[in-house]
Amino acid sequence: MPLYISSEVTFGYGPLGLQIMSQNGLSPPFAIHGFHGKMNEFGKFDKSKAELCGAMKINDEVIRVADEDVSQWTYETLLEKIKHSKRPLTIVFAR
């Protein structure tokens, strides 16, 4: 199925607040599986900045990281690139 709508999101320092998965756990497509917030002082989870910005939704696919196409990457390569890239880091998502 072709992807039509894309959003470019730039992340600052710290965790992205996203859970990114692949269907087979190894290769593309990589998609948002969930969002991760932080527990507040009342013992409840606040939404992550990623979820609050509204530019991404569950099942949106990651198509570019730091201006690089991820279509030939492994899941491990994707995670390493995100983890070790300088911030701000821009990721492009599509749905």
Side-chain angles (χ1 to χ4, degrees):
M1 178 175 176
L3 303 173
Y4 294 102
I5 300 170
S6 66
S7 60
E8 187 174 292
V9 180
T10 301
F11 295 89
Y13 181 76
L16 301 183
L18 301 173
Q19 181 180 14
I20 299 172
M21 307 273 295
S22 75
Q23 289 180 338
N24 66 6
L26 301 171
S27 60
F30 308 113
I32 297 174
H33 185 69
F35 295 98
H36 294 287
K38 290 187 177 182
M39 188 176 291
N40 63 29
E41 66 269 17
F42 303 108
K44 297 193 178 195
F45 280 94
D46 291 330
K47 291 182 178 182
S48 69
K49 290 180 183 179
E51 187 175 11
L52 288 171
C53 86
M56 300 154 283
K57 296 183 178 185
I58 301 293
N59 295 323
D60 282 2
E61 291 186 19
V62 177
I63 57 174
R64 298 186 75 75
V65 172
D67 207 32
E68 294 183 50
D69 179 5
V70 303
S71 64
Q72 301 300 313
W73 290 5
T74 64
Y75 183 65
E76 183 178 334
T77 300
L78 174 75
L79 295 183
E80 288 298 313
K81 181 69 172 185
I82 290 170
K83 182 177 178 181
H84 297 293
S85 290
K86 290 184 180 183
R87 304 297 172 99
L89 171 65
T90 300
I91 301 177
V92 179
F93 300 89
R95 70 178 72 111

